[in-house]
């Protein structure tokens, strides 16, 4: 019997970053409020010639380069940073990666949860078409506003996952717990570029949704806390994942103890990348697989996905026996080390330079040195290019 799951996984972080210690000092705030209080050290920042399309393409290209691209028959693009009300951002990525015309493309939206919905839909598709592959991309820019309470929980990034039968990394298990409720803890109206959030309320909803999704998951699967070797949570900031793990322990009447073994290695990348919305859970999953020194082969990983508004899902996956031979840890490590640290002044200047939304012609400053970049906007159409190569529209 075929298993279905994640065969390959690759993430992309933009080339700029900001130290949260430096931001705290500039804002005359105790740095421990950021580095300890929310558990963050850095946040990644996109250049003006990057957007969710270029980041998604960067995340997916190393995967597409390893397979017969004609076998990818479904591309699901999850984001809450959409660039068009009608056209899916994935169509641009489909073009940039030169995927086959027989590949379906759809964009999904439900705050940070939509990548998990995309993963479940992709798994169902592959179960029906076992000789085909699905590509799931999650790409986002978390943006709250200068000097707001959400400012230190910003970030950006994208992750790509190839979903296949008999995957080499993670097999998704049947059964999950889902909880949906109508709340206004976080949202971004169409006329705004920054999100609106009630931080304390959103934290409460996140944890309440987790509890209901977990209980539903346990009823559906008959699994318990002890059946899971590790946990990965949606991580808008690292302390949130720690709170979630604490809540699960409380739900299961476990004594409060050190949660490092269950959680710590899943937070390494999030701590230095920041919030990347739809990609956040899967950045944690990549972090766990690539940084946990233990051999996780055949281990069960419990995963909690949350999207404000709100939808939560708890599901699990099994680490495959040969998983370490199919990770790209070195590539990720080198990419993160190569980022340039901006001063707070440079960050503020970058933040305050907006892409026009009035239809005017715009040429993006050329900051990216390699890979895909946003070249500009002409006649209401975004123009993309591969650095050093021909214009792609």
């Amino acid at each position: 019997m075929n298993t279905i799951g994640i065969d390959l996984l690759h993430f992309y972080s933009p080339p700029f970053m900001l130290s949260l210690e430096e931001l705290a000092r500039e804002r005359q705030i105790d740095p421990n409020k950021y580095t300890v209080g929310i558990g963050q050290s850095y946040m990644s920042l996109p250049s003006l010639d990057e957007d969710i399309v270029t980041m998604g393409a960067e995340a997916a290209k190393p995967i597409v380069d390893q397979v017969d691209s004609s076998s990818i028959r479904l591309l699901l693009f999850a984001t809450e940073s959409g660039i068009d009300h009608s056209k899916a951002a994935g169509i641009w990525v489909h073009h940039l990666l030169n995927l086959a015309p027989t590949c379906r493309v759809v964009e999904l939206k439900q705050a940070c949860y939509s990548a998990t919905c995309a993963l479940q839909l992709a798994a169902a598709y592959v179960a029906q078409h076992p000789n085909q592959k699905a590509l799931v991309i999650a790409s986002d820019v978390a943006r709250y506003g200068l000097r707001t309470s959400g400012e230190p929980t910003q970030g950006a990034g994208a992750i790509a996952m190839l979903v296949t039968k008999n995957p080499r990394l993670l097999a998704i298990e049947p059964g999950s717990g889902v909880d949906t409720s109508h709340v206004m803890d976080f949202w971004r109206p169409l006329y705004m570029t920054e999100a609106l959030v009630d931080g304390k309320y959103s934290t409460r909803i996140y944890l309440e949704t987790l509890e209901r999704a977990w209980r539903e998951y346990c009823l559906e699967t008959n699994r318990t806390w002890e059946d899971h070797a590790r946990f990965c949570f949606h991580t808008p900031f690292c302390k949130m994942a720690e709170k979630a793990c604490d809540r699960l322990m409380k739900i299961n009447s476990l004594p409060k103890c050190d949660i490092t073994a269950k959680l710590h290695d899943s937070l390494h990348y999030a701590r230095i990348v920041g919030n990347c919305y739809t990609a956040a859970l899967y950045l944690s999953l990549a972090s766990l697989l690539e940084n946990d020194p233990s051999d996780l082969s055949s281990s069960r990983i419990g995963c909690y996905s949350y999207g404000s508004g709100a939808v939560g899902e708890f599901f699990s996956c099994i680490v495959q026996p040969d998983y370490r031979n199919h990770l790209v840890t070195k590539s990720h490590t080198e990419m993160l080390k190569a980022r340039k640290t901006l001063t707070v002044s440079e960050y503020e200047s970058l933040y305050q330079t907006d892409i026009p939304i009035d239809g005017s012609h715009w040429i993006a400053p050329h900051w990216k040195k390699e890979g895909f970049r946003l070249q500009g906007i002409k006649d209401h159409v975004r123009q993309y290019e591969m650095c050093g190569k021909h214009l792609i529209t």
Side-chain angles (χ1 to χ4, degrees):
M1 180 178 176
N2 292 328
T3 56
I4 307 294
I6 301 171
D7 186 63
L8 294 170
L9 183 154
H10 184 264
F11 76 84
Y12 171 78
S13 174
F16 297 143
M17 65 180 181
L18 177 69
S19 164
L20 271 295
E21 284 193 19
E22 291 302 313
L23 179 64
R25 293 190 182 99
E26 183 68 24
R27 300 288 185 254
Q28 298 183 333
I29 293 172
D30 180 358
N32 286 333
K33 184 174 181 180
Y34 294 166
T35 58
V36 179
I38 62 172
Q40 295 300 124
S41 299
Y42 295 93
M43 61 184 181
S44 289
L45 303 167
S47 60
L48 284 175
D49 54 351
E50 289 187 292
D51 64 6
I52 59 169
V53 169
T54 62
M55 292 193 301
E58 296 283 10
K61 191 174 189 305
I63 290 176
V64 173
D65 287 347
Q66 293 184 55
V67 301
D68 175 4
S69 62
S70 66
S71 66
I72 300 175
R73 303 295 292 272
L74 176 67
L75 192 167
L76 298 176
F77 194 104
T79 188
E80 56 179 283
S81 311
I83 57 173
D84 190 280
H85 293 313
S86 179
K87 183 172 181 175
I91 291 286
W92 274 289
V93 174
H94 175 278
H95 181 60
L96 292 174
L97 298 178
N98 195 31
L99 297 180
T102 51
C103 176
R104 297 173 174 87
V105 181
V106 176
E107 182 175 314
L108 295 92
K109 177 178 72 177
Q110 173 32 47
C112 302
Y113 166 73
S114 60
T116 297
C117 185
L119 180 61
Q120 297 286 17
L121 291 173
Y125 177 85
V126 173
Q128 286 189 320
H129 307 87
N131 293 322
Q132 299 178 15
K133 299 177 175 65
L135 181 63
V136 172
I137 297 174
S139 182
D140 267 304
V141 179
R143 182 179 168 99
Y144 292 103
L146 300 177
R147 298 178 179 83
T148 64
S149 61
E151 184 178 31
T153 64
Q154 298 179 125
I159 198 153
M161 300 175 281
L162 189 70
V163 180
T164 71
K165 69 176 181 181
N166 301 325
R168 291 172 286 181
L169 293 181
L170 295 158
I172 300 170
E173 292 194 285
S176 69
V178 176
D179 184 80
T180 299
S181 61
H182 172 53
V183 294
M184 297 300 291
D185 60 324
F186 167 105
W187 69 103
R188 182 172 69 84
L190 294 177
Y191 49 82
M192 295 184 66
T193 56
E194 291 84 19
L196 299 171
V197 60
D198 182 335
K200 291 184 178 179
Y201 181 52
S202 191
T203 295
R204 193 187 97 195
I205 297 299
Y206 176 112
L207 295 174
E208 290 176 354
T209 303
L210 166 62
E211 182 166 349
R212 291 190 294 267
W214 167 260
R215 293 188 188 282
E216 179 68 19
Y217 166 79
C218 292
L219 286 172
E220 179 78 16
T221 64
N222 291 318
R223 297 178 195 132
T224 66
W225 165 277
E226 289 77 13
D227 293 322
H228 302 80
R230 300 287 189 275
F231 290 93
C232 287
F233 297 92
H234 169 59
T235 308
F237 51 92
C238 289
K239 187 62 72 172
M240 188 71 251
E242 293 175 7
K243 288 176 182 289
C245 200
D246 281 340
R247 175 63 70 93
L248 276 191
M249 293 178 70
K250 183 178 180 181
I251 294 169
N252 289 279
S253 301
L254 298 170
K256 190 173 180 63
C257 64
D258 184 7
I259 59 175
T260 298
K262 292 280 189 180
L263 190 65
H264 177 73
D265 293 300
S266 71
L267 302 181
H268 175 66
Y269 290 152
R271 198 177 306 279
I272 58 177
V273 171
N275 192 0
C276 46
Y277 287 164
T278 55
L281 169 61
Y282 300 98
L283 182 66
S284 294
L285 197 53
S287 182
L288 174 67
L289 295 178
E290 296 180 2
N291 292 287
D292 194 312
S294 303
D295 181 2
L296 297 176
S297 298
S298 302
S299 297
R300 175 176 289 115
I301 311 300
C303 299
Y304 173 60
S305 178
Y306 174 76
S308 292
V311 179
E313 181 171 358
F314 198 100
F315 66 100
S316 61
C317 45
I318 301 295
V319 182
Q320 299 303 284
D322 200 30
Y323 76 102
R324 280 184 165 159
N325 290 330
H326 307 289
L327 298 173
V328 287
T329 311
K330 182 179 179 181
S331 173
H332 288 154
T333 301
E334 291 175 350
M335 173 184 63
L336 292 170
K337 284 183 177 180
R339 291 176 300 169
K340 175 186 176 182
T341 302
L342 300 184
T343 65
V344 175
S345 177
E346 289 172 328
Y347 147 70
E348 291 178 340
S349 176
L350 178 65
Y351 188 98
Q352 293 171 326
T353 306
D354 293 326
I355 296 176
I357 58 173
D358 60 359
S360 57
H361 181 59
W362 177 71
I363 298 176
H366 202 140
W367 285 348
K368 284 197 74 178
K369 306 301 182 185
E370 58 184 19
F372 301 105
R373 65 180 293 269
L374 174 64
Q375 194 264 353
I377 301 174
K378 182 179 180 182
D379 298 328
H380 302 280
V381 179
R382 290 191 174 222
Q383 315 280 319
Y384 294 97
E385 67 178 348
M386 175 74 82
C387 292
K389 296 186 179 180
H390 66 279
L391 182 70
I392 306 171
T393 58

